[in-house]
Amino acid sequence: MIPFVSGVLSIIYGANFADFQDAVFFITITSRVALVEFIEDVKNIVGYQMLVERFRQIRHGIAIDTSHGNVSEGRIKKWTTLIQMARDQTRILAESQKSRELFFVLRCIVFVTLFLFILLNLPYNVHPVVFVFHIVWGIFSFMQLARLLLKTWMAETITSEESKIEKDIICIDTSRWDSSSSLQLKAAHDLIAQNPTQISYGYVTFNKGVLKSVFNQVVTYLIVIMQLVEK
């Protein structure tokens, strides 16, 4: 992002052709990185959406079976197997994205912290270049948070769809079932209730609390940096 800002400012305020060439180079390189990030985000979101659809299909299948009375111990075991397969797919997806998403969250914290630090310590009216820098850096920081919010929302949707299956299982009338089928249904319910599916990357879990955690870290680092500068 810094090369991009430098390139834009060089084009606006540059005085010679060499500066213009360097500026175009910086913008091109940064744009390429941004395009790669965009493609990776699309790939991740598509993966999340596929998992959402997977849980929806399982829920729909359970609803059809129960409405038609096609329920047995073997059928419930198939439900449990399908649920476990979807959970395994979620875990595999999270593992494949782990390093990249952890680095992304770290970038969010760093970029927002630096933006607030610059905003508080470098007045925008000092020079037009500084004003442009504030705007561009602020937009970029906001975009990082927007990306994080979107991913968090999609991850929460996966958890929500699985919880709907749990609620449907609770509502099933088992009064006329044999004990083995009832126990198998309870096992399917406990599988979800005791350990809900989440998009977890080890240190970070994409849920409603992740933005709060990011802002807590931003405030902490900002205070530390401000204290170091004042010394």
Side-chain angles (χ1 to χ4, degrees), residues 134-162:
H134 278 184
I135 293 177
V136 175
W137 195 263
I139 292 174
F140 183 71
S141 299
F142 175 78
M143 288 174 59
Q144 300 302 303
L145 292 176
R147 289 171 60 194
L148 180 60
L149 181 62
L150 176 60
K151 293 179 182 181
T152 301
W153 176 73
M154 288 298 300
E156 282 284 316
T157 304
I158 296 173
T159 305
S160 175
E161 287 300 324
E162 187 191 47

Side-chain angles (χ1 to χ4, degrees), residues 173-220:
D173 182 12
T174 61
S175 58
R176 298 182 180 180
W177 291 14
D178 58 78
S179 59
S180 59
S181 297
S182 298
L183 288 174
Q184 188 62 45
L185 186 67
K186 184 179 184 301
H189 169 268
D190 292 344
L191 175 65
I192 301 173
Q194 294 177 2
N195 186 24
T197 295
Q198 292 182 319
I199 298 294
S200 178
Y201 300 109
Y203 299 105
V204 178
T205 299
F206 276 13
N207 53 29
K208 295 177 181 178
V210 69
L211 281 176
K212 181 180 178 181
S213 299
V214 167
F215 280 113
N216 286 340
Q217 293 296 322
V218 167
V219 171
T220 300

